[in-house]
Amino acid sequence: MAHYRQVGEVPQKRHTQFRRPDGRLYSEELMGEEGFSSDSSLLYHRGVPSSLVDARPWELPDQATTPNSPLLPRHLKLHDLFPGEEHKAADPVTGRRLVLGNADVRISYAMSSLASPLYRNATGDECVFVERGTATVETVFGALDVGSGDYVVLPRATTHRWLPTGDEPLRTYAIEASSHIAPPRRYLSRYGQFLEHAPYCERDLRTPAEPLLAEGADVEVYVKHRGDGPGGFAGTVHVVPEHPFDVVGWDGCLYPYAFDVADFEPITGRVHQPPPVHQVFEGQNFVICNFVPRKVDYHPLAVPVPYYHSNVDSDEIMFYVDGDYEARKGSGIGKGSITVHPGGHSHGPQPAAVEASLGAERFDELAVMVDTFRPLALGEGGRAVDDGRYAWSWSGRGPSTTAS
Ligand SMILES: [Fe+2]
């Protein structure tokens, strides 16, 4: 983010002496991206951020994937991943079930009620969409209170933890990048300010408002990092002598933030607008778009649902969050569903949905889409909740009814 923020106390001049009330120096830490050549922040710690007293391996949730073979469009029912009371024993980090992934991005899902351990993803930025429930996300930069419809963007290697709040289980859809996640470049001026045509702007982003200080000794931090396990990942638990939430102040352009999808202002037209108007974020080799409640195409002969499309360079993943998704009527898709539309297959509305959409003035759907340039493979969670029938929903018949 190019938007400068300051929270808590920082010295007037960077890299100068900054002392605690007892006269000792605070530890200044620069947290920055792209080899000191992109956004960064300076954090002032009471302790020494390098200090370790122990380490041990952490076995990550299953990161293995299998190819989408035979190549098929698929319907994955995420709510089936956490039946009954399973969420009561799950947290929003270690409880994640990997649904889909490739070398650029992993999508996982969790329904949880427990607080996560302190966590640091050193493999890339995370964008966690809150489907339902509320939580406090405590970070080394301060806390964010989040709820249904919030994207929570956590820069790579941000130490944080998730604390579900309220009576309802927390449902989170985690998009983990191997890169950074940011607003689309075309929404920004050459210096990084949101332009007038962007569907959201700086005022819509919520950032930590004050330092978050905690006490503790020999505190565990679960670190996901590059390694030789499935997907190229491994985990380590670092034990640090003092609580890592010891930052009395920070400033800069790198920090976690939340964005409520309800603050995304949809762009509409007389005829169908292409998916890039729905884009909210981008990472290396993937984009995140959202389809929000909106007026639809108002040409007198408009067809409001999409045309069939062969987006030849992409796999397209749609997560249906709320409302009725008009283009998928008749396919069995409901809230909590994902559709996987892979490159090499032309997809579009279920046939009856086209006529049914004519004359519509509004769509009250809410969906989050991830398009990737590299093919997505199925994680264990995705394989577990594949409905096995979606591919045949356009024709109305599948292999068991094929004439020989
Ligand atoms: Fe599509």
Side-chain angles (χ1 to χ4, degrees):
M1 296 300 299
H3 202 50
Y4 174 84
R5 289 273 203 269
Q6 180 190 326
V7 167
E9 277 190 273
V10 301
Q12 178 59 34
K13 188 143 186 87
R14 62 185 177 181
H15 320 321
T16 59
Q17 296 174 32
F18 181 36
R19 294 188 181 277
R20 302 159 48 129
D22 65 6
R24 287 187 287 161
L25 285 167
Y26 288 112
S27 300
E28 182 186 53
E29 177 197 16
L30 182 136
M31 182 172 165
E33 297 177 340
E34 299 180 11
F36 300 93
S37 301
S38 186
D39 292 345
S40 65
S41 285
L42 288 167
L43 296 85
Y44 294 89
H45 296 266
R46 294 193 297 204
V48 175
S50 312
S51 293
L52 295 171
V53 293
D54 199 2
R56 66 174 191 275
W58 166 36
E59 187 174 343
L60 297 174
D62 188 348
Q63 301 291 294
T65 56
T66 54
N68 179 4
S69 178
L71 183 75
L72 287 175
R74 295 175 188 271
H75 170 198
L76 314 178
K77 303 171 81 168
L78 297 193
H79 288 181
D80 291 353
L81 286 172
F82 291 86
E85 304 284 281
E86 281 193 20
H87 63 90
K88 291 187 175 175
D91 75 68
V93 171
T94 68
R96 290 178 187 175
R97 305 276 304 269
L98 183 65
V99 177
L100 293 153
N102 65 21
D104 301 309
V105 63
R106 271 77 46 204
I107 294 167
S108 59
Y109 186 75
M111 180 179 174
S112 57
S113 296
L114 300 180
S116 79
L118 287 162
Y119 171 58
R120 178 188 303 146
N121 184 344
T123 71
D125 290 0
E126 292 193 358
C127 175
V128 180
F129 181 77
V130 179
E131 180 195 4
R132 296 284 300 174
T134 56
T136 299
V137 185
E138 294 186 341
T139 84
V140 71
F141 293 89
L144 294 166
D145 289 322
V146 302
S148 302
D150 276 330
Y151 293 98
V152 186
V153 178
L154 294 148
R156 183 178 196 156
T158 298
T159 304
H160 69 281
R161 65 181 168 192
W162 283 80
L163 306 169
T165 53
D167 301 328
E168 191 179 4
L170 184 68
R171 294 178 178 272
T172 42
Y173 183 78
I175 301 165
E176 299 179 21
S178 300
S179 58
H180 299 301
I181 296 174
R185 195 73 196 88
R186 69 178 186 282
Y187 289 176
L188 307 174
S189 78
R190 63 187 167 126
Y191 297 116
Q193 183 180 9
F194 281 92
L195 294 168
E196 279 295 310
H197 73 273
Y200 62 100
C201 74
E202 290 86 351
R203 294 185 195 180
D204 299 316
L205 307 181
R206 286 143 45 215
T207 56
E210 57 189 23
L212 176 63
L213 296 167
E215 301 290 337
D218 292 354
V219 177
E220 294 183 337
V221 181
Y222 285 59
V223 184
K224 182 177 184 180
H225 53 88
R226 292 168 286 194
D228 58 3
F233 306 116
T236 297
V237 178
H238 280 166
V239 183
V240 299
E242 295 175 274
H243 203 290
F245 293 165
D246 68 342
V247 171
V248 297
W250 61 268
D251 76 337
C253 295
L254 183 67
Y255 44 78
Y257 60 92
F259 171 62
D260 185 346
V261 70
D263 288 325
F264 187 96
E265 299 304 328
I267 295 167
T268 61
R270 248 164 67 91
V271 296
H272 194 76
Q273 298 296 296
V277 303
H278 304 285
Q279 191 177 351
V280 57
F281 297 116
E282 66 186 7
Q284 177 72 35
N285 281 338
F286 73 93
V287 298
I288 305 173
C289 303
N290 41 223
F291 295 80
V292 301
R294 62 194 184 280
K295 288 186 174 180
V296 290
D297 320 340
Y298 45 88
H299 184 287
L301 294 176
V303 178
V305 294
Y307 34 75
Y308 295 91
H309 46 288
S310 191
N311 187 8
V312 298
D313 294 318
S314 301
D315 278 11
E316 177 190 299
I317 310 306
M318 190 80 84
F319 174 44
Y320 303 87
V321 178
D322 210 352
D324 290 321
Y325 200 75
E326 300 290 337
R328 297 273 88 81
K329 275 187 173 163
S331 66
I333 302 297
K335 293 176 191 175
S337 293
I338 281 185
T339 50
V340 182
H341 293 136
H345 169 256
S346 178
H347 69 274
Q350 266 56 32
V354 180
E355 289 280 5
S357 76
L358 302 181
E361 295 188 353
R362 281 184 62 83
F363 284 174
D364 285 315
E365 62 203 23
L366 178 60
V368 174
M369 184 173 84
V370 176
D371 277 14
T372 67
F373 285 130
R374 286 201 258 200
L376 283 161
L378 292 154
E380 62 80 24
R383 290 193 303 276
V385 291
D386 186 342
D387 89 340
R389 301 190 306 273
Y390 178 63
W392 328 120
S393 64
W394 289 272
S395 71
R397 67 189 181 98
S400 61
T401 56
T402 303
S404 56

